């Protein structure tokens, strides 16, 4: 909704118009998270549908768009046809654009923002891991630290890749930055989130967003009876284990699923009810759907590509992403041509 409002305002004020292109990082990171490819893909398809409903110029693209022919039509190998999956896509892109771990270690030493991002990754991976899978928390933390390094490598690869694919776009990030460019920060959370962050600190922590839930602040009893969310509602995100600490908190249920929680405004005033809360190491095991057949998975990958045409998204973006994929396949851009210069925010070709 924030991005949809931004696009509405930009297109009203700027005659040539503007569009916002999200590049999904699901294919990039899902194997590090331990997320099944079919679950990641289902999430991507849902986000694409959501973007289309919010604004016609809000697009959600993905790494499937880089190799559309290989995903949709497949590659002939004699009498057989094989279709590219997530691993094949990752291998092709990372073979060219992913920096070494030595580069990552050097960049962490000279770039405070880069180091902080790695620490955020590590915290996320630690908290998202099943404690029962490790002998102790030290092992759990070391596992998170190793994978955070891998995430920094892949994050850098994705950054360089997208800048090469869409060089004329204005790159926007949700991570705080100086606004000196070439990447700019966009505030997606609003004033209420900042206010609650100052008041409740660790309770309102966006470092690991998958552990947060949406909170609607109810100003009166009438609001508390509503089971919907309105654009005018005051809202923020809170770490889910703290919701029960607030008096009057209750779930907002739609179609049988908890969409958010409502908390009376009075419960957010006065003394912090979470200060004596003790977190536990309990890990919630979710019941996952059955793994789909490869044919169903293939059709969903095709849908992720075809949605661009279905939703009327910009064909120039489609062509630009495919163009980079073609250059990789034709060896027009190779790893030797990419200069991973520390502190450099551009793709340099020798």
């Amino acid at each position: 909704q924030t991005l949809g409002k931004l696009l509405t305002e930009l297109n009203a004020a700027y005659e040539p118009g503007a569009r916002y292109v999200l590049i999904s990082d699901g294919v990039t990171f899902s194997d590090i998270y331990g997320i099944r490819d079919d679950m990641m893909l289902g999430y991507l398809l849902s986000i694409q549908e959501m973007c289309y409903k919010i604004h016609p110029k809000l697009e959600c693209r993905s790494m499937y768009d880089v190799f559309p022919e290989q995903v949709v039509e497949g590659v002939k190998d004699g009498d057989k046809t094989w279709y590219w999956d997530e691993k094949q896509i990752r291998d092709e892109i990372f073979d060219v654009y992913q920096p070494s771990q030595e580069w990552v270690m050097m960049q962490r030493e000279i770039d405070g923002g880069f180091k902080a991002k790695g620490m955020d990754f590590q915290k996320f991976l630690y908290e998202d891991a099943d404690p029962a899978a490790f002998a102790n928390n030290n092992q759990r933390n070391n596992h998170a630290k190793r994978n955070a390094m891998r995430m920094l490598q892949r994050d850098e690869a994705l950054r360089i890749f997208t800048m090469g694919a869409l060089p004329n776009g204005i790159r926007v990030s949700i991570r705080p930055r100086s606004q000196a460019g070439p990447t700019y920060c966009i505030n997606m959370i609003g004033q209420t989130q900042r206010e609650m962050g100052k008041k409740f600190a660790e309770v309102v922590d966006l470092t690991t967003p998958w552990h947060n839930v949406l909170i609607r602040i109810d100003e009166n009893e009438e609001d508390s009876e509503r089971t919907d969310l309105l654009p005018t509602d005051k809202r923020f995100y809170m770490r889910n284990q703290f919701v029960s600490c607030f008096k009057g908190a209750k779930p907002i249920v739609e179609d049988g699923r908890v969409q958010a929680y409502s908390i009376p405004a009075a419960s957010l005033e006065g003394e912090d009810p979470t200060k004596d809360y003790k977190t536990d190491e309990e890990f919630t095991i979710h019941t996952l759907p059955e793994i789909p057949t490869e044919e169903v998975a293939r059709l969903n990958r095709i849908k992720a590509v075809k949605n661009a045409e279905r939703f009327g998204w910009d064909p120039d973006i489609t062509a630009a992403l495919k163009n980079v994929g073609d250059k990789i396949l034709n060896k027009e851009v190779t790893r030797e041509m990419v200069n991973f210069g520390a502190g450099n925010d551009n793709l340099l070709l020798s």
Side-chain angles (χ1 to χ4, degrees):
Q1 290 177 340
T2 299
L3 296 179
K5 181 181 178 182
L6 172 64
L7 280 170
T8 298
E9 293 174 352
L10 283 173
N11 281 280
Y14 183 56
E15 186 174 349
R19 69 179 57 249
Y20 201 106
V21 181
L22 302 169
I23 303 293
S24 168
D25 61 6
V27 172
T28 309
F29 295 121
S30 61
D31 61 321
I32 295 181
Y33 293 154
I35 302 298
R36 280 175 17 193
D37 288 332
D38 64 286
M39 300 295 294
M40 175 275 298
L41 182 51
Y43 182 77
L44 168 65
L45 294 174
S46 296
I47 294 297
Q48 288 182 326
E49 294 277 355
M50 185 187 303
C51 287
Y52 175 67
K53 291 176 181 178
I54 289 174
H55 197 283
K57 289 188 175 182
L58 178 59
E59 306 185 9
C60 181
R61 303 305 187 101
S62 70
M63 296 296 101
Y64 300 109
D65 293 304
V66 181
F67 303 104
E69 294 176 355
Q70 291 72 21
V71 170
V72 176
E73 301 171 13
V75 178
K76 297 289 184 181
D77 185 8
D79 295 333
K80 297 182 179 180
T81 301
W82 61 283
Y83 299 87
W84 282 25
D85 61 9
E86 293 75 17
K87 183 179 184 305
Q88 183 68 42
I89 292 171
R90 281 193 294 266
D91 288 347
E92 293 292 335
I93 293 175
F94 294 156
D95 185 58
V96 173
Y97 290 101
Q98 181 172 277
S100 66
Q101 287 211 353
E102 290 74 19
W103 183 91
V104 170
M105 293 174 67
M106 176 182 66
Q107 190 72 354
R108 289 176 64 199
E109 293 296 321
I110 66 175
D111 187 336
F114 189 82
K115 182 178 181 180
K117 179 163 56 176
M119 293 174 67
D120 285 350
F121 286 160
Q122 182 176 338
K123 181 177 181 181
F124 173 85
L125 290 163
Y126 177 85
E127 296 189 354
D128 207 51
D130 181 0
F134 303 91
N136 52 57
N137 283 339
N138 188 49
Q139 288 188 11
R140 182 180 170 193
N141 188 59
N142 287 337
H143 180 266
K145 186 175 182 179
R146 288 193 298 271
N147 278 335
M149 289 288 289
R150 296 173 64 198
M151 286 186 66
L152 284 173
Q153 286 179 280
R154 295 186 180 191
D155 184 71
E156 184 67 10
L158 182 62
R159 183 188 69 83
I160 297 175
F161 168 84
T162 53
M163 290 190 72
L166 305 170
N168 296 322
I170 299 174
R171 183 175 169 85
V172 178
S173 171
I174 60 172
R175 292 189 62 82
R177 53 190 67 241
S178 68
Q179 301 296 59
T183 302
Y184 300 89
C185 177
I186 184 171
N187 178 9
M188 295 285 289
I189 58 177
Q191 181 64 29
T192 303
Q193 186 78 39
R194 290 195 293 272
E195 292 172 356
M196 294 299 163
K198 292 177 182 178
K199 184 175 178 61
F200 297 113
E202 290 298 314
V203 177
V204 182
D205 180 2
L206 295 181
T207 301
T208 57
W210 288 1
H211 299 270
N212 294 331
V213 291
L214 179 64
I215 302 297
R216 184 188 72 195
I217 301 177
D218 294 335
E219 301 290 348
N220 51 56
E221 189 172 338
E222 183 179 346
D223 282 341
S224 68
E225 297 301 319
R226 287 195 291 112
T227 58
D228 57 357
L229 291 168
L230 302 175
T232 53
D233 288 333
K234 289 189 68 175
R235 61 182 73 184
F236 67 100
Y237 292 88
M238 176 190 293
R239 295 174 72 78
N240 56 5
Q241 69 262 38
F242 294 108
V243 174
S244 60
C245 297
F246 293 87
K247 186 177 179 179
K250 60 182 181 180
I252 299 174
V253 180
E254 182 180 332
D255 297 329
R257 298 179 61 186
V258 175
Q259 303 296 315
Y261 288 85
S262 68
I263 295 181
S267 296
L268 298 169
E269 300 296 332
E271 188 174 354
D272 181 0
T274 69
K275 64 180 182 179
D276 296 322
Y277 179 85
K278 303 296 182 183
T279 59
D280 55 36
E281 290 293 341
E282 201 173 305
F283 190 79
T284 303
I285 303 298
H286 297 282
T287 301
L288 300 178
E290 291 186 9
I291 298 176
T293 64
E294 178 51 39
E295 178 62 13
V296 171
R298 183 179 72 84
L299 292 176
N300 280 334
R301 294 185 196 108
I302 292 174
K303 186 176 181 180
V305 174
K306 294 284 190 180
N307 272 345
E309 182 178 356
R310 175 188 168 206
F311 295 145
W313 289 342
D314 190 352
D316 288 341
I317 302 295
T318 301
L321 293 171
K322 180 181 181 299
N323 181 55
V324 177
D326 289 343
K327 286 184 176 181
I328 292 174
L329 295 176
N330 296 329
K331 308 298 182 185
E332 294 177 38
V333 55
T334 65
R335 186 175 187 80
E336 291 70 31
M337 298 169 65
V338 179
N339 181 358
F340 300 102
N344 194 344
D345 213 5
N346 296 292
L347 170 63
L348 299 183
L349 299 181
S350 58

